[in-house]
């Protein structure tokens, strides 16, 4: 795969942004891990397609591998670390499981209709047209602090996510959940398009459609079990995405 894109920030530059934030917010010592960047540790860039048809934006990487908190890059390659780009992790498939009851990667693979025999195969299929990044790229231990601070989301969006989107130049963007929505609300031209938009689950259907058609932006509830009541909205959005990749 020969990726020809505008340069994006190096992992060290990204970590330095988070180190500056952490230095000013000592209350997040041990919660925010500035140098732990699972996207880099799992070598996601090597799977980036030549042309990103759809860029998915999630919230932040997981903070645990099984029952252990991740603490260093090698932890991100553990077979029990459920990060999207960790191709060593393969969730157990439970026959008859309820919709959206698995991890982010498995739910996305199902919604996109990918039929690889393993996580690694599905990641390869995914990367033919799609790419996924996080709004906050370093690990934030939400088991210690339940909510990611708003100023951390804003800083990540303005200093890291915005330049990243510009470098990737995706055809469409899919915001998966409220943190991704909040991040995009800090970045033009998406900030103007999202002016006045509140929670992602409260976006009316006509606005959701106009954002997709006019701004090439799809805003959907996070595809996880807690949002199973929005399954119809999620599935209809993924129908549009599948059509883009044909």
């Amino acid at each position: 795969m020969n990726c020809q894109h505008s340069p994006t920030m190096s992992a060290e530059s990204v970590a330095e942004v988070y180190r500056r934030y952490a230095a000013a917010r000592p209350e997040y010592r041990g919660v925010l891990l500035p140098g732990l960047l699972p996207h880099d540790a799992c070598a996601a860039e090597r799977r980036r397609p030549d042309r990103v048809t759809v860029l998915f934006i999630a919230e932040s990487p997981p903070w645990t591998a099984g029952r252990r908190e991740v603490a260093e890059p090698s932890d991100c390659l553990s077979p029990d670390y459920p990060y999207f780009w960790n191709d060593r992790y393969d969730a157990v498939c439970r026959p008859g499981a309820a919709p959206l009851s698995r991890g982010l990667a498995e739910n996305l693979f199902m919604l996109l209709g990918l039929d690889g025999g393993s996580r690694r195969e599905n990641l390869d299929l995914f990367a033919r047209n799609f790419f996924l990044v996080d709004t906050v790229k370093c690990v934030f231990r939400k088991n210690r602090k339940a909510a990611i601070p708003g100023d951390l989301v804003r800083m990540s969006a303005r200093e890291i996510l915005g330049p990243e989107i510009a470098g990737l130049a995706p055809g469409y963007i899919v915001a998966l959940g409220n943190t991704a929505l909040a991040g995009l609300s800090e970045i033009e031209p998406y900030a103007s398009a999202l002016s006045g938009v509140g929670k992602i689950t409260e976006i009316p259907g006509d606005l959701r459609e106009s954002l997709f058609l006019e701004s090439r932006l799809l805003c959907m509830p996070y595809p996880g079990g807690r949002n199973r009541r929005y399954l119809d909205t999620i599935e209809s959005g993924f129908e549009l995405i599948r059509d883009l990749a044909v």
Side-chain angles (χ1 to χ4, degrees), residues 82-171:
Y83 181 57
F84 184 89
W85 292 109
N86 180 15
D87 63 8
R88 302 184 188 185
Y89 176 84
D90 235 336
V92 176
C93 180
R94 293 174 294 163
L100 307 182
S101 62
R102 304 181 75 196
L104 173 61
E106 291 73 34
N107 289 338
L108 286 189
F109 299 155
M110 178 196 68
L111 289 162
L112 290 168
L114 304 183
D115 58 358
S118 67
R119 185 190 189 94
R120 186 166 297 180
E121 290 178 18
N122 276 326
L123 285 174
D124 288 339
L125 292 171
F126 179 88
R128 290 178 181 177
N129 296 284
F130 309 126
F131 200 56
L132 181 141
V133 299
D134 294 300
T135 306
V136 175
K137 298 184 78 70
C138 71
V139 169
F140 185 92
R141 288 172 170 161
K142 291 178 66 180
N143 56 328
R144 301 191 188 187
K145 296 282 186 178
I148 296 177
D151 63 342
L152 176 58
V153 173
R154 288 190 293 273
M155 183 210 66
S156 293
R158 294 170 183 173
E159 298 194 33
I160 301 170
L161 182 62
E164 187 170 39
I165 291 173
L168 293 171

